[in-house]
Amino acid sequence: MAAQRTQQRVQDFCARFGLRVPILEAPMAGACPPELAIAVAEAGGMGANGVVLDQPDRIGSWMERFRAGTNGPCQLNIWIPDEPVDAPERQQAAERFLAGFGTPGAAGAPSPVFAEQCEAMLAARPAVISSIMGLFDPDFVERLHRAGIAWFACATTLADALAAQEAGADAVVAQGMEAGGHRGSFDPQAAERTDVGLFALLPHLVDHLRVPVIAAGGIADGRGVAAALALGASAVQVGTALLRSPEANINEDWSAALDGLPPERTVTTRAYSGRLGRAVPTPFVTAWADDGAPAPAPYPVQRRLVGQWRKGDAPGVDRVNYWAGQSAALAREAPAGEIIERMWADARELLA
């Protein structure tokens, strides 16, 4: 009976969102070219794009390229803006520390306007608009639902998941601490205190929510897919598992750093953006954890500072963010569609 319930739950989710396989690409800002999303969608899953850094016109052009390559579904994901933090002393300390890596370049262009990005996402009409770091306001939720767009909300605790469900989320993405990249904590300062593993978080959310739950964090092969579905997930979301595919086209050094990276070697850091995320322990990242190093500036100040030093003469600063989930060693150099198809074939065999 349990196997039948799992099969029915997955089938219902796939039918609702136009999927052949219950595997979603994680919306990784800066690492979601349309080619990767197209490959995932063509394999039966759901493609994705993280648009937190994208101007409205770029959101529209990405969707045009995606639709030119597939009729499959995709999600567009955005961060809910943090409350501004006025911390000039922390910014100055971070600037002095960054000066030890080299000299900065010119300040970057202003960040995109959140409200304008939301309008661009609505105009693009993806199957799903998803949020991380908080909740959309009620008016926007009503508008996206009127447009026939579903809302997936990322959560790292039951309290945040329940708040998302109450606010109208159509599904909750349960993000375990194994996940690469940024933690989806609603409270920026609580991220270190809410480091819950996926296989503890997932059944806890499933047991208390009415909406479907999507499992994310540390899933990189069919075993992880099968385990998450058996624990009550309706689908899974994978990111690091796809980064070494040719369609992802990430920096060669970043790809090489993922090769064989043990789970215990990944670290959580605020060095890249001021928000907590899981990454490769590069010299730049580990320097911020050394004795005497300052705390990174708050988000988004730290992100802007790192971007400014990347534009200058600062060889000690990582050229990209070396994000890595704890299952990085399972990431293969293979076409993204092949990775998705193999994951689902292996998971189905285990669940049979």
Side-chain angles (χ1 to χ4, degrees), residues 19 161 212 217 232:
L19 306 172

Side-chain angles (χ1 to χ4, degrees), residues 17-19 37 40-42 44-48 66 70-75 126-128:
F17 295 105
L19 306 172
V40 172
E42 285 293 285
M46 181 180 290
F66 175 80
T70 181
N71 292 321
C74 77
Q75 65 165 310
V128 173

Side-chain angles (χ1 to χ4, degrees), residues 73 108 113-114 166 196 212 260 300 328 346:
V113 177
F114 176 71
E166 183 65 22
V196 181
D346 289 349

Side-chain angles (χ1 to χ4, degrees), residues 86-338:
D86 186 19
E89 298 86 359
R90 286 179 60 186
Q91 177 174 339
Q92 292 162 9
E95 289 173 339
R96 289 193 295 270
F97 192 69
L98 281 164
F101 295 97
T103 56
S111 298
V113 177
F114 176 71
E116 295 176 357
Q117 291 175 302
C118 288
E119 292 301 319
M121 289 192 297
L122 278 175
R125 296 294 178 97
V128 173
I129 291 177
S130 61
S131 59
I132 189 169
M133 314 299 189
L135 303 175
F136 290 126
D137 65 51
D139 289 343
F140 185 73
V141 175
E142 182 181 352
R143 290 180 64 200
L144 67 86
H145 282 157
R146 282 205 310 265
I149 301 169
W151 171 28
F152 292 176
C154 180
T156 61
T157 67
L158 177 60
D160 289 350
L162 288 170
Q165 177 178 266
E166 183 65 22
D170 297 282
V172 166
V173 178
Q175 188 196 37
M177 54 83 72
E178 303 93 336
H182 287 100
R183 295 282 293 143
S185 307
F186 288 14
D187 179 357
Q189 303 312 313
E192 285 89 351
R193 301 194 304 273
T194 56
D195 256 5
V196 181
L198 177 63
F199 286 173
L201 178 67
L202 178 56
H204 189 49
L205 266 57
V206 167
D207 288 348
H208 291 86
L209 296 178
R210 301 184 305 275
V211 298
V213 179
I214 301 159
I219 298 172
D221 64 9
R223 294 171 295 180
V225 174
L229 298 180
L231 285 172
S234 295
V236 303
Q237 185 166 277
V238 299
T240 304
L242 297 168
L243 285 177
R244 303 191 71 211
S245 68
E247 294 90 348
N249 194 31
I250 65 170
N251 175 282
E252 290 183 4
D253 291 338
W254 180 12
S255 179
L258 298 174
D259 187 14
L261 181 68
E264 69 275 13
R265 285 281 292 152
T266 65
V267 296
T268 53
T269 181
R270 294 179 183 264
Y272 288 134
S273 70
R275 268 280 195 166
L276 191 70
R278 186 170 295 280
V280 176
T282 67
F284 175 74
V285 165
T286 56
W288 287 89
D290 288 345
D291 291 341
Y299 178 86
V301 175
Q302 180 74 9
R303 188 191 74 198
R304 290 199 296 264
L305 290 176
V306 172
Q308 186 175 351
W309 256 261
R310 283 174 175 163
K311 294 178 180 178
D313 182 14
V317 175
D318 290 344
R319 296 292 94 188
V320 297
N321 299 343
Y322 282 61
W323 299 128
Q326 287 191 328
S327 291
L330 295 176
R332 298 188 295 122
E333 286 187 313
E338 179 183 308

